[in-house]
Amino acid sequence: MPQYVCRVGDDRGQITNRVEIAGSVNELRDKYAQQGVFLYSVRPRGGWRDLFGSGAEHKKIKLSEFLIFNQQFVTLIRAGLPILKSLELLCSHIAQPSLRSSILDIRERIKGGALLSEAFREQGIFPEIYTTSLMAGEKSGNLEEVLDRYIGYQKTALTVKKKLLASLVYPTLLIVMVIVLVTFLIGYVIPNFADLYRTMSADLPPLTVALISFTDAFRNYWFILVALLAGTAAGAWLWSRTDAGGQSIDRIKSRLPLIGSIWSKFQVAQFSRILGTLIAGGIPVVQALETARLSVTSPLLRHTLDVATRKVREGTPLWEGLSSTGFFPEMAIEMIQVGESSGALHAMLTGVSDFFEEDVNTVLAALLSLVEPAILIFMGLVVAFVLMALYMPIFSLSGQL
């Protein structure tokens, strides 16, 4: 009988993954329905499928398109239109094919009796925070407010992402220029000078000999270097897909000078905003922590939140559970402690995310202001080294003449 990977949640808000053996998906749904356990998602289990992800996971949606859809969706619902009619009207205005086909499938599932949150979750391409927020809106009867909170979260996340990408454009262009320059020198300039010096049968300075030898070796064995780099990159990527590999890579990132601090603070800001949005939407703390754990991208942070979630489920305060992991900065822990004791946890979590996002932007801007001239200096040194190595023989010969 086939095996299935199931994500289930109980009445305490605990979400777990299970591997079940059953004849069909419907058989599994009936089994969990009889047990009173909510089945979030179910998919067949397979080796390469589990390693590289399901087809739904590769069916990406544009966050900007999804934001526009949610803005229009909440407007139609607030105007009094039924959910099915709202989805039907929106389908014809969605430009992205993958999102449009998913919304059409969601509409058909709702017609068949599925809940809105369940229909979105079964697509496998929508953020966990979104489907959980929909479930909270359905239970509380306040879907419009929950969608408004998610739209605010998504706008902020997109703004931060655009700022980061914009700040990296110029350094990326400089790095591309360095690669093009070095390739031109190795592939054209240095070989021509090497051919010239070979015809002259003159003794060359050690610097020139070293440069020509390096260029010849690179031109003769470049394909081996490319194969090694490609193999290393593929191996590192496959390793990063495992829990142990992803956590190890994240630990390396967190320990890098300057960059490690920026990466850690960005992860804390992302988690705080997600958790604050969920708690503000009425999700219990334990379930919100579990959803936030599934929503963050860092394997190390997910492992950290798994530990914290277990402690909170056992009765430990949120700030203490997060503090015990050693991942979160002291400033974030203190702010969460104040918010938890004052009953304004969601507002304080939003403050934590705002504070660390601003800190990341400031430090990143200062770092990039140093990186850009450093790249230019490196380009200048490379050109100066090549020119010196290539023209030293000419200066030597002119002196002898």
Side-chain angles (χ1 to χ4, degrees), residues 83 176 183 239 286:
I83 290 177
V176 171
T183 303
W239 185 49
V286 173

Side-chain angles (χ1 to χ4, degrees), residues 25-46:
V25 175
N26 290 332
E27 181 181 331
L28 273 177
R29 293 188 182 280
D30 293 339
K31 173 185 175 182
Y32 282 116
Q34 293 173 3
Q35 295 176 357
V37 178
F38 185 80
L39 182 62
Y40 281 84
S41 63
V42 56
R43 61 178 175 82
R45 188 187 185 192

Side-chain angles (χ1 to χ4, degrees), residues 66-195:
F66 191 46
L67 174 60
I68 294 173
F69 163 78
N70 280 299
Q71 289 174 327
Q72 296 172 339
F73 187 39
V74 73
T75 300
L76 293 176
I77 293 177
R78 189 173 284 115
L81 270 71
I83 290 177
L84 277 175
K85 184 64 177 178
S86 301
L87 292 175
E88 183 179 350
L89 290 174
L90 291 174
C91 283
S92 59
H93 295 87
I94 298 175
Q96 188 181 6
S98 59
L99 180 59
R100 183 171 59 250
S101 63
S102 294
I103 298 302
L104 287 171
D105 185 64
I106 288 168
R107 188 187 63 178
E108 295 303 317
R109 289 176 184 270
I110 294 176
K111 281 184 179 179
L115 295 174
L116 180 65
S117 58
E118 182 182 351
F120 269 94
R121 180 173 281 109
E122 288 177 348
Q123 300 301 307
I125 62 174
F126 296 102
E128 187 71 25
I129 179 179
Y130 181 72
T131 54
T132 304
S133 297
L134 287 179
M135 184 176 65
E138 290 170 335
K139 289 182 177 180
S140 64
N142 198 0
L143 186 60
E144 298 92 335
E145 183 179 346
V146 169
L147 285 173
D148 280 334
R149 292 185 187 279
Y150 178 78
I151 289 170
Y153 156 77
Q154 195 176 17
K155 283 182 177 179
T156 304
L158 282 173
T159 301
V160 172
K161 184 178 179 180
K162 288 179 180 178
K163 284 183 179 179
L164 289 175
L165 292 177
S167 63
L168 294 174
V169 169
Y170 185 58
T172 303
L173 290 176
L174 290 179
I175 293 173
V176 171
M177 289 177 60
V178 170
I179 295 174
V180 171
L181 173 64
V182 172
T183 303
F184 174 72
L185 291 174
I186 293 177
Y188 180 76
V189 176
I190 298 176
N192 286 339
F193 272 88
D195 293 338

